[in-house]
Amino acid sequence: MLCLGLLVTGLVSAIVAVLFRINHTITATVAQRTQDLETQHEEKRSILENAMLAIISADESGRIIDSNDAALKMLLPQGGQGALDGVLLADLLPDLDLEGDAGWRKVRIPPRAANVRPTILEVETKAWVTAAGQARITLLMRDITVSEGHAQQIAEAEQRWNLALMGAQIGVFDVDLRKNISVVSEAWLENMHLDALPDWHDPYREQMRRMHPDDLAEFEAIEADCINGRAERAVAYFRVKGGDDDWRWIKSDAVVAERAPDGTALRMLGIQTDVTESIRLKQMKRDFVATISHELRTPLTSIKGALGLLQAQLQSGKQVSNDRLIEIASSNSDKLLSLVNDILDMEKANSGNMNIKMEPVSLDEIMTQASNQFETFASQWGVAVEAVEHDAAKEIWTDKKRVIQVITNLLSNACKYANPGTAVQLSAERLETHTKISVSNWGPGIPEEFRSKIFQPFSQADSSDARKRGGTGLGLSISRKLIEAMGGTVGFESEPGKQTVFWFTCPLTEPTVESEPMAEGAKIVRVA
């Protein structure tokens, strides 16, 4: 029994010793783990406190549980003095939507003082659940007020430049030759009559598909010379299809802005401008100079010839009738005077110095006077001039000299372009507040492509044909300016192979409410 007791006692002592060692080990391990956890906690706290990002932890209601120093400095008005614990996020960040999707978003903090810009934060929200099942929200925030201000300044500067370029109609393009992508300005798209598409990677190349086929090869050759280093710049003129189905002239000026060490072109920058009007003006100027040269040379040659013959006869002492020679010189002098007057009238109209003397004028008188002046002229073209009787107002409010100038100009054009053997008609019609005066003829009509430009100065449907028929291309432009200055309007109706009518209106001296159209079966009085 004694031995058994000693054995039990020894066994118990051994167990106690083992338990003691285990307890000691556990205690040491717990102490070490606690120290490690405290160290990790301090490290994390140090990281959080020294983090550039503001960090906030809140419960599911949005009440703040914890925050770091960066959050205090960012959100508290006294530079971080105080605490955020227990404060609702809605009070600090009224624009923040906690119900929205997780991720980065911009949030504005209203200014705390007058004349202070709002603070702009970039906030990322992350939702998570604690081990105890409690919902938590963590916010990571950074202040982007300064960078947003810079971005806004850059955007405003770009907008100003873009508006300036749009105003000047200068299109800008930037082409990455390595990746075959390009960026173009709004003015460039407008010049090309294109709308920006979101999936366009290389809109610059779209112009190739819109370019006139006669210009494409030359454009590509000029661009290739610049890209390959054979030329410093790529300056080219080409046509593209416009929005109104006409061809618009574009001037392109590009340079290679970046090259690889081996000389390979990497990037090309350039500008493009719509020079259609400039080219049209140059062409108009060439046509005008050619027309004026013809119009001047012809009468001057006739005058010189007539004077030469007259001089020869006077020197020879022969008593020969010189009436015909004097008539030729006088007629051609009148043509030159008319040409000079047209040019002077256009200059006066453009400068606003044209004198208009408005007074009551007899309609019958001006129609008769104007038509009588064209008896001889009309016969030269094998046509007649007919004045149609009318029941329009007896008087109109106008400048007599100027309105006769308009009528004679319309009659002159109508005679020159009328079919031989036909009659040019001069008629009048009473409207509500105006009298409408019309000049009509039967001829080839006005080409469709020329109708929009017919009242432009120096415009002629066919310059070569116009030289045969005479004229400077100024008459209709001057006529429109005169009629509009006298309170009327001017227009025309024309169809190929049918009657062409040019008309204008003059105010009545006593406007009436009801319009009285010309009676049917009006008698035509033959003048020539």
Side-chain angles (χ1 to χ4, degrees):
M1 290 293 296
L2 180 60
C3 292
L4 182 59
L6 291 172
L7 181 60
V8 171
T9 301
L11 183 59
V12 171
S13 298
I15 293 172
V16 171
V18 171
L19 291 174
F20 178 78
R21 285 196 298 272
I22 292 174
N23 182 63
H24 178 74
T25 301
I26 291 173
T27 301
T29 301
V30 169
Q32 183 62 43
R33 293 293 179 85
T34 300
Q35 184 178 357
D36 292 343
L37 289 174
E38 290 178 352
T39 300
Q40 292 177 7
H41 177 74
E42 292 299 326
E43 289 176 347
K44 291 179 180 179
R45 171 54 65 179
S46 176
I47 292 173
L48 292 176
E49 294 300 338
N50 292 284
M52 297 297 294
L53 291 176
I55 303 174
I56 289 177
S57 179
D59 59 23
E60 60 181 344
S61 67
R63 194 172 297 278
I64 297 175
I65 299 173
D66 198 3
S67 60
N68 67 350
D69 288 343
L72 295 176
K73 294 177 182 178
M74 182 181 294
L75 299 176
L76 289 180
Q78 287 81 26
Q81 298 179 9
L84 293 175
D85 295 355
V87 178
L88 287 173
L89 288 172
D91 295 335
L92 297 173
L93 306 172
D95 291 342
L96 179 62
D97 181 14
L98 294 176
E99 301 296 330
D101 296 334
W104 289 99
R105 70 199 73 177
K106 293 180 183 178
V107 176
R108 290 177 176 269
I109 300 178
R112 301 184 181 99
N115 301 324
V116 177
R117 293 195 305 173
T119 302
I120 303 175
L121 304 180
E122 192 171 38
V123 181
E124 183 180 21
T125 59
K126 291 183 178 296
W128 54 284
V129 180
T130 67
Q134 297 174 326
R136 293 286 186 269
I137 302 172
T138 297
L139 277 65
L140 305 179
M141 300 179 294
R142 56 182 171 219
D143 190 336
I144 58 172
T145 305
V146 174
S147 60
E148 283 291 297
H150 292 164
Q152 183 178 358
Q153 291 175 358
I154 293 173
E156 290 173 352
E158 290 179 348
Q159 181 67 15
R160 286 194 295 271
W161 277 109
N162 193 45
L163 288 174
L165 293 173
M166 285 289 290
Q169 289 297 296
I170 299 175
V172 179
F173 60 86
D174 184 347
V175 182
D176 188 328
L177 300 172
R178 294 165 295 183
K179 301 178 181 178
N180 290 324
I181 60 175
S182 59
V183 178
V184 297
S185 68
E186 293 182 19
W188 188 94
L189 292 170
E190 185 173 316
N191 286 340
M192 292 294 163
H193 298 273
L194 293 173
D195 295 324
L197 297 177
D199 57 346
W200 261 3
H201 298 293
D202 195 6
Y204 176 75
R205 296 299 165 190
E206 178 66 21
Q207 69 181 346
M208 308 301 183
R209 289 188 282 272
R210 302 177 61 84
M211 195 177 295
H212 196 289
D214 294 344
D215 304 331
L216 180 58
E218 182 179 1
F219 174 82
E220 291 178 333
I222 292 174
E223 189 178 74
D225 286 343
C226 181
I227 291 174
N228 295 327
R230 293 189 293 270
E232 292 184 1
R233 308 184 75 86
V235 180
Y237 292 83
F238 58 89
R239 288 161 288 178
V240 294
K241 200 71 171 178
D244 49 358
D245 292 333
D246 66 342
W247 291 100
R248 308 290 298 177
W249 278 100
I250 303 295
K251 178 185 178 182
S252 179
D253 188 352
V255 295
V256 173
E258 183 180 355
R259 292 186 182 273
D262 62 356
T264 302
L266 303 177
R267 185 182 177 200
M268 185 169 66
L269 299 175
I271 61 173
Q272 289 182 348
T273 53
D274 188 328
V275 293
T276 305
E277 294 306 318
S278 174
I279 289 179
R280 284 179 178 172
L281 287 174
K282 288 180 181 178
Q283 182 61 42
M284 192 181 296
K285 178 181 177 181
R286 287 193 292 267
D287 293 342
F288 174 67
V289 170
T291 301
I292 291 297
S293 299
H294 174 80
E295 292 293 316
L296 288 173
R297 187 182 294 113
T298 300
L300 282 174
T301 301
S302 298
I303 294 172
K304 187 177 186 303
L307 292 176
L309 290 173
L310 182 61
Q311 183 182 26
Q313 291 179 4
L314 292 174
Q315 289 176 349
S316 65
K318 295 180 179 180
Q319 297 296 323
V320 182
S321 175
N322 298 314
D323 292 346
R324 178 56 183 163
L325 297 178
I326 295 173
E327 180 184 349
I328 292 173
S330 176
S331 174
N332 284 279
S333 296
D334 289 340
K335 290 182 180 179
L336 289 176
L337 179 61
S338 176
L339 173 62
V340 173
N341 285 337
D342 279 350
I343 296 175
L344 292 177
D345 281 345
M346 176 56 64
E347 177 60 26
K348 289 178 182 178
N350 289 334
S351 62
N353 294 324
M354 182 172 287
N355 295 323
I356 302 294
K357 183 181 179 181
M358 302 293 288
E359 59 183 347
V361 176
S362 170
L363 179 59
D364 288 333
E365 181 182 347
I366 63 172
M367 290 181 66
T368 301
Q369 182 176 342
S371 58
N372 287 341
Q373 292 179 3
F374 274 81
E375 291 185 31
T376 304
F377 183 83
S379 63
Q380 296 175 5
W381 298 97
V383 298
V385 175
E386 298 175 344
V388 180
E389 286 190 349
H390 61 88
D391 62 350
K394 297 299 180 182
E395 287 188 340
I396 57 177
W397 185 252
T398 188
D399 183 315
K400 181 178 180 180
K401 177 183 176 182
R402 295 300 188 182
V403 80
I404 291 178
Q405 179 181 350
V406 172
I407 295 175
T408 54
N409 176 69
L410 297 182
L411 286 172
S412 173
N413 287 341
C415 290
K416 288 188 290 186
Y417 291 95
N419 294 329
T422 62
V424 173
Q425 294 184 350
L426 175 62
S427 60
E429 175 186 359
R430 184 171 182 172
L431 304 179
E432 183 176 354
T433 59
H434 288 69
T435 293
K436 181 178 180 181
I437 301 173
S438 303
V439 174
S440 59
N441 76 339
W442 291 87
I446 301 169
E448 182 70 32
E449 63 275 10
F450 181 66
R451 295 182 184 184
S452 62
K453 300 177 287 187
I454 195 166
F455 289 109
Q456 294 179 4
F458 312 127
S459 294
Q460 294 173 323
D462 184 344
S463 297
S464 59
D465 185 57
R467 289 174 202 165
K468 296 177 185 177
R469 299 175 186 267
T472 61
L474 291 173
L476 289 178
S477 178
I478 294 172
S479 296
R480 183 175 68 171
K481 291 180 180 295
L482 287 173
I483 292 300
E484 290 177 350
M486 293 185 290
T489 57
V490 63
F492 68 94
E493 292 93 30
S494 177
E495 293 185 28
K498 296 185 179 181
Q499 194 175 38
T500 297
V501 180
F502 276 84
W503 56 265
F504 65 91
T505 62
C506 291
L508 300 173
T509 53
E510 296 179 1
T512 59
V513 176
E514 296 184 358
S515 172
E516 299 179 8
M518 184 176 63
E520 295 182 2
K523 181 180 178 181
I524 296 178
V525 179
R526 191 167 188 80
V527 177

